[in-house]
């Protein structure tokens, strides 16, 4: 009898633990915020944190009206320029949900960092400037989301300024992206005449006022759309009549709401508001959390891994050195894909085929760190990295080995020679260049048979070269000389036994090597690539390295 009771107790205990695991994973929401520069993405991130209680007052990115800088912009250069140039990771609790936000760089020169970050997200919030509509960088990032079929939520921002017609903005979204739109709310005017938004589900309006510069939470005044007298007193007779007409048109002509289409990325719920003044933030958060799902399954070598699988697994999507000036360390960010992470436990690192312990596990609020003991599927954790992890690496339970597919590397389009001014600082120069390259922000090459006194750096965007110079100076105390090169195209030579010196190449084609001694050719034009392949029989060139 006692044995049976013990058996029953263990079964129930196991069931309870599994339920607890499911509960914790079920309440996770992990999303990335994407936009063109200056659409208000980082400001929106700040306001989510304000409403989640993670911060008490919000600071705008430009910092004109408030003295604070944005929490998610942690690098000194970001604070100086008022732009985000690295991806930030933040977690906060809101109404029973545990939310992981990935704030991405808006600037096109950092699209590679944004791409990697989107690989770690389960959904995306696309921020659009109401005056400008869809811009170049928004198009690029949308394509990445569409490739992954993740849900996309649209926040049309800056309604407190002059804006384009909302019907025109919806039409542009549908035509440009081939996606259906469903406005969850509707703006009443814009700029100085911005009076609030109409909630289509609740059939009531939330009125707007701008008295606190968006530093505190906003209390909404709700009013039923059929209460004509009160509505006229709040927004005026003219705007009330216009609103009623627009809502009739919208109800008759817009897409029907379909949650399954939202979750497949075929229909985007659209919200209007003003992140700077906090207007529309809370309704957005509440609707977003209802419409999104718990963490999504991931593919490992053709097999779908459920987030609710009790065996832990995660992949590295970002590496960042020197996040904290006091520590001068290197943090690798992992997205947990399944199970529960426990501090102190041993895990399997697939790429090195070794057992590892993920040391100093922490969660972030930009550069603020908090050591954690556990984390669940959907969470992002940063771990101390002694130099063993690379982007795309998998760590998993010792019981069940999985291997998630790697994250592709963008081919660099800009090249420069970088060398240190002071030869006595060679050690710091080499360390700095190598660490920043491991983060994935730059790729480094050298001329055959040369050392590390000067390196050739390849980047996706020119601004990354400026960031490299700035970081070498401020984080490694190394001044450098930079000479830009005219090359725009890169190809890896697949033939291992070929003598590069014997190739028939144009005079402005350059032979370099990466640090795995792979042979690479960099070209000034596509015509030069054609010359190389046509005049060298058997030469095989690849757009990117698979090693």
């Amino acid at each position: 009898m006692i044995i049976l009771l013990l058996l029953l107790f263990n079964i129930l205990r196991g069931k309870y633990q599994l339920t607890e695991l499911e509960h914790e994973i079920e309440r996770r929401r992990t999303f990335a915020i994407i936009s063109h520069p200056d659409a208000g993405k980082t400001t929106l991130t700040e306001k989510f944190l304000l409403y989640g209680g993670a911060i008490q007052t919000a600071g705008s990115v430009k910092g004109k009206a408030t003295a604070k800088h944005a929490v998610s912009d942690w690098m000194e250069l970001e604070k100086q320029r008022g732009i985000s140039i690295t991806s930030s990771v933040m977690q906060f609790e809101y109404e029973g949900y545990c939310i992981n936000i990935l704030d991405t760089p808006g600037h096109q020169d950092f699209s590679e960092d944004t791409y990697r970050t989107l690989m770690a997200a389960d959904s995306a919030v696309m921020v659009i400037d109401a005056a400008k509509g869809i811009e170049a960088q928004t198009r690029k990032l949308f394509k990445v989301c569409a490739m992954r079929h993740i849900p996309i939520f649209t926040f049309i921002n800056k309604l407190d300024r002059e804006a384009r017609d909302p019907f025109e903005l919806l039409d542009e979204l549908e035509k440009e992206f081939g996606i259906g739109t469903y406005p969850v709310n509707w703006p009443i005017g814009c700029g100085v005449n911005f009076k609030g938004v109409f909630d289509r589900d609740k059939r009531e309006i939330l009125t707007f006022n701008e008295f606190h510069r968006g530093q505190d939470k906003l209390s909404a005044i709700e009013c039923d759309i059929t209460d004509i007298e009160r509505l006229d007193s709040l927004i005026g007779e003219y705007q009330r009549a216009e609103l009623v007409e627009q809502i009739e048109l919208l109800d008759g002509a817009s897409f029907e709401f379909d949650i399954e289409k939202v979750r497949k990325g075929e229909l985007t719920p659209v919200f209007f508001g003003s992140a700077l003044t906090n207007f529309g933030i809370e309704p957005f958060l509440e609707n977003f959390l209802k419409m999104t799902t718990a963490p999504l399954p991931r593919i490992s070598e053709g097999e779908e891994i459920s987030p609710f699988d009790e065996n832990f697994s995660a992949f590295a999507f970002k590496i960042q050195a020197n996040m904290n000036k006091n520590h001068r360390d290197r943090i690798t960010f992992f997205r947990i894909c399944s199970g529960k992470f426990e501090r102190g436990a041993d895990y399997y690192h697939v790429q090195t085929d070794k057992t590892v312990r993920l040391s100093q596990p922490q969660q972030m609020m930009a550069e603020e760190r908090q050591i954690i003991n556990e984390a669940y599927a959907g969470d992002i954790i940063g771990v101390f990295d002694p130099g063993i992890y690379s982007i795309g690496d998998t760590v998993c339970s010792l019981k069940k080995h999985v291997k998630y597919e790697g994250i592709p590397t963008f081919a660099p389009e800009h090249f420069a020679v970088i060398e240190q001014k002071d030869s006595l600082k060679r050690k710091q120069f080499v360390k700095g260049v190598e660490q920043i390259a491991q983060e994935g922000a730059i790729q480094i090459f050298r001329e055959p048979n040369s050392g590390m006194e000067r390196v050739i750096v390849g980047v996706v965007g020119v601004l990354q070269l400026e960031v490299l110079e700035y970081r070498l100076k401020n984080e490694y105390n190394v001044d450098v000389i930079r000479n830009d090169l005219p090359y725009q195209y890169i190809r890896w030579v697949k033939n291992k036994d070929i003598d590069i010196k014997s190739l028939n190449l144009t005079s402005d084609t350059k032979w370099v090597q990466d640090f795995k001694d792979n042979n690479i050719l960099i070209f000034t034009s596509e015509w030069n690539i054609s010359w190389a392949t046509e005049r060298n029989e058997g030469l095989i060139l690849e757009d990117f390295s698979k090693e």
Side-chain angles (χ1 to χ4, degrees), residues 124-128 134 142 150-156 169-170 172-175 177-185 200 254-272 284 288 291:
V125 174
M126 179 165 62
V127 186
I128 289 175
I134 295 166
F142 176 84
I150 60 173
I152 299 165
F153 296 79
T154 303
F155 188 86
I156 296 181
L169 290 166
L170 292 183
E172 186 178 54
L173 267 171
E174 289 169 10
K175 284 180 178 170
F177 295 153
I179 190 173
T181 62
Y182 180 83
V184 177
N185 61 21
R200 292 182 68 199
S254 73
F255 284 85
E256 291 285 318
F257 182 75
D258 183 336
I259 193 67
E260 285 310 308
K261 285 188 176 177
V262 171
R263 287 173 181 171
K264 287 176 187 170
E266 295 169 4
L267 180 74
T268 178
V270 180
F271 300 81
F272 292 85
F284 173 82
F288 171 80
M291 293 177 194

Side-chain angles (χ1 to χ4, degrees), residues 489-491 506 509 523 525-534 541:
Y489 302 93
I490 184 167
R491 295 292 183 270
T506 58
T509 296
F523 304 89
S525 69
E526 287 183 331
W527 183 85
N528 288 347
I529 301 172
S530 300
W531 173 288
T533 52
E534 287 165 13
L541 300 178

Side-chain angles (χ1 to χ4, degrees), residues 312 340-348 355-362 371-375 381-383 398:
F312 166 81
K340 177 183 178 180
F341 163 79
E342 292 179 279
R343 183 182 175 191
D346 287 333
Y347 294 110
Y348 176 65
T355 299
V356 293
R357 191 165 287 185
L358 301 178
S359 58
Q360 297 174 33
Q362 50 206 270
I371 296 291
I372 54 157
N373 293 315
E374 58 186 37
I381 58 168
V383 301
L398 297 173

Side-chain angles (χ1 to χ4, degrees), residues 469-487:
E469 289 181 84
Y470 177 87
R471 290 187 63 190
L472 285 172
K473 167 74 176 166
N474 285 272
E475 294 173 19
Y476 300 92
N477 198 25
V478 177
D479 287 302
V480 295
I481 301 163
R482 167 184 150 195
N483 290 303
D484 292 347
L485 299 170
Y487 306 103

Side-chain angles (χ1 to χ4, degrees), residues 322-330 360 369 384:
N322 307 323
M323 279 191 75
N324 187 321
K325 284 185 178 179
N326 301 323
H327 294 282
R328 290 290 185 217
D329 53 8
R330 177 173 132 143
Q360 297 174 33
R369 309 161 176 221
F384 173 72

